[in-house]
Amino acid sequence: MFASRARRTRAVVPVALGLSLVLTVAACGGTTQDSSNDDDGGGDGESAAAADPDAEFAPDLSIAMLPKSVNNPYFEASSEGAQAAVDELGGEYEYTGPSDTSASSQVSYINTLSQQSADVILLSANDPNALCSSLEQARSAETYVVTFDSDVDPGCRDVFVSQVDSDEVGRALIEMASEQIGGAGTVAILSATANATNQNAWIAVIEEELASNPDYAEIELVGVVYGDDEDEKSFQETQGLLQANPDLGAIISPTTVGIAAAARYLSGSEFKGQVALTGLGTPNQMREFVKDGTVTEFALWDPTALGELAAYTGAAIASGIITGAEGETFTAGELGEYTVGADGVVTLGPPTRFNADNIDDFDF
């Protein structure tokens, strides 16, 4: 837990007045802009101080990660990366969050971290809009909000660290499913929560591909169910999908909790080897299911690197190296240089596909 302390000047910029304007714009929502009166990010229209790409990282930042839920291997890996980055920068780190995946449960943690004067909150959001009021209060109290993994409305945060381009993920998911069922048949989706921004973006791409791509003309989406990133519920939803669709060709589960639960169900059922399963998972949790033939191929980015990048991004904005405006650059340790894209988005990189040929090459 962060010790309570007096708020210090956090963004390392040369002019105090310029800093106050950065914080004013940030508190009103949207990414900060250059020194013009244009306000396309949802701020109040006042000028903002420019980023200083030559500034040093502040050495004593307090950075907290708030995942969708704790006790999740994916977010634990992300936390390891964030912890390593904060340690490297000489800051203070905390990993905290609810055990369930409701947006309301995240609100109290946001409020507490703001009251503890956290410099940066790294948030994977359970809802794109329900957290905005608490986030706006935190930002007005001079806490920067960097979302990662799952975004909120852009006006409610400073920067979003995306795993990969959403379209790229959605296309990879349906492509893997199609390959595994021979380009024809029925598919269903086992998602996380119904309001998860990233899940819904990927599902939308899958639906668009099925509707418009002739390569998938013989594939039908027969259902979308939600396991709420809970192991037992995801297990039960998998069972329900197969009972409702006995001729189901494939399940796509774009959530690490969901795909592991579905694999566990399939591996002990008569559907093993008959129903394909793909989605997003970590190599360590899926290795046994690849080796026993339950799963042929799935994908993911490195969640440890995602957490590390999120922490460096938060430190960069809190240190005045970036403001969140498009085109700004910063160096994220050994990960290298990154550029802020449109709408204040920083993207980690493309997903990796895991199968029997390469899964033992990875350990996360």
Side-chain angles (χ1 to χ4, degrees):
M1 179 180 294
F2 300 132
S4 177
R5 64 187 185 282
R7 178 64 63 181
R8 64 180 178 276
T9 300
R10 297 152 54 244
V12 183
V13 293
V15 182
L17 177 59
L19 172 60
S20 69
L21 291 173
V22 172
L23 299 178
T24 299
V25 175
C28 294
T31 56
T32 55
Q33 308 296 318
D34 58 19
S35 300
S36 70
N37 289 325
D38 294 333
D39 181 35
D40 56 7
D44 61 6
E46 296 186 43
S47 61
D52 181 4
D54 296 321
E56 299 290 333
F57 282 105
D60 58 348
L61 296 171
S62 57
I63 298 177
M65 177 173 282
L66 173 53
K68 292 178 181 176
S69 63
V70 295
N71 303 318
N72 180 322
Y74 173 88
F75 290 117
E76 289 172 358
S78 296
S79 180
E80 290 177 5
Q83 174 85 68
V86 176
D87 288 349
E88 179 68 24
L89 295 171
E92 182 181 2
Y93 178 74
E94 180 179 356
Y95 179 64
T96 185
S99 57
D100 64 278
T101 55
S102 67
S104 59
S105 295
Q106 288 186 310
V107 169
S108 63
Y109 287 90
I110 293 169
N111 294 340
T112 297
L113 290 171
S114 176
Q115 291 164 5
Q116 292 174 353
S117 300
D119 288 305
V120 181
I121 296 175
L122 309 176
L123 169 70
S124 179
N126 279 318
D127 188 282
N129 299 305
L131 305 174
C132 281
S133 178
S134 294
L135 293 176
E136 287 166 0
Q137 291 180 30
R139 294 172 75 201
S140 67
E142 301 182 8
T143 292
Y144 289 104
V145 174
V146 172
T147 51
F148 76 103
D149 175 69
S150 184
D151 201 8
V152 293
D153 183 283
C156 306
R157 47 75 171 165
D158 295 288
V159 181
F160 171 48
V161 178
S162 177
Q163 310 90 320
V164 289
D165 178 83
S166 291
D167 290 355
E168 193 171 22
V169 175
R171 285 192 292 266
L173 292 172
I174 188 58
E175 184 176 281
M176 288 188 294
S178 176
E179 290 170 353
Q180 292 174 41
I181 63 174
T186 57
V187 299
I189 296 173
L190 170 62
S191 185
T193 61
N195 294 324
T197 310
N198 56 349
Q199 300 280 312
N200 290 335
W202 301 330
I203 292 171
V205 172
I206 292 172
E207 292 173 335
E208 176 61 27
E209 286 291 303
L210 290 173
S212 63
N213 191 330
D215 291 342
Y216 308 130
E218 297 184 44
I219 298 177
E220 178 187 3
L221 178 63
V222 295
V224 179
V225 298
Y226 302 93
D228 292 340
D229 263 353
E230 296 175 6
D231 177 79
E232 188 57 34
K233 185 175 182 182
S234 298
F235 185 92
Q236 293 170 352
E237 291 292 350
T238 301
Q239 183 180 40
L241 276 175
L242 294 167
Q243 290 175 343
N245 305 278
D247 296 324
L248 188 65
I251 296 173
I252 301 171
S253 187
T255 161
T256 58
V257 174
I259 193 174
R264 194 173 80 255
Y265 179 84
L266 287 173
S267 67
S269 76
E270 69 273 22
F271 296 102
K272 179 181 177 180
Q274 304 301 314
V275 177
L277 172 63
T278 192
L280 303 176
T282 68
N284 288 353
Q285 70 179 158
M286 298 301 295
R287 184 172 287 106
E288 63 177 292
F289 302 115
V290 170
K291 291 184 179 293
D292 73 7
T294 302
V295 175
T296 300
E297 189 174 53
F298 64 99
L300 196 66
W301 45 91
D302 185 342
T304 305
L306 181 66
E308 185 177 0
L309 178 57
Y312 272 111
T313 303
I317 196 167
S319 302
I321 298 170
I322 62 173
T323 66
E326 183 175 4
E328 295 173 343
T329 62
F330 66 99
T331 299
E334 295 183 356
L335 293 175
E337 185 175 281
Y338 285 84
T339 301
V340 181
D343 296 322
V345 177
V346 176
T347 303
L348 177 63
T352 298
R353 294 191 185 190
F354 306 100
N355 50 49
D357 293 333
N358 69 357
I359 195 166
D360 285 335
D361 296 336
F362 299 90
D363 183 20
F364 64 86

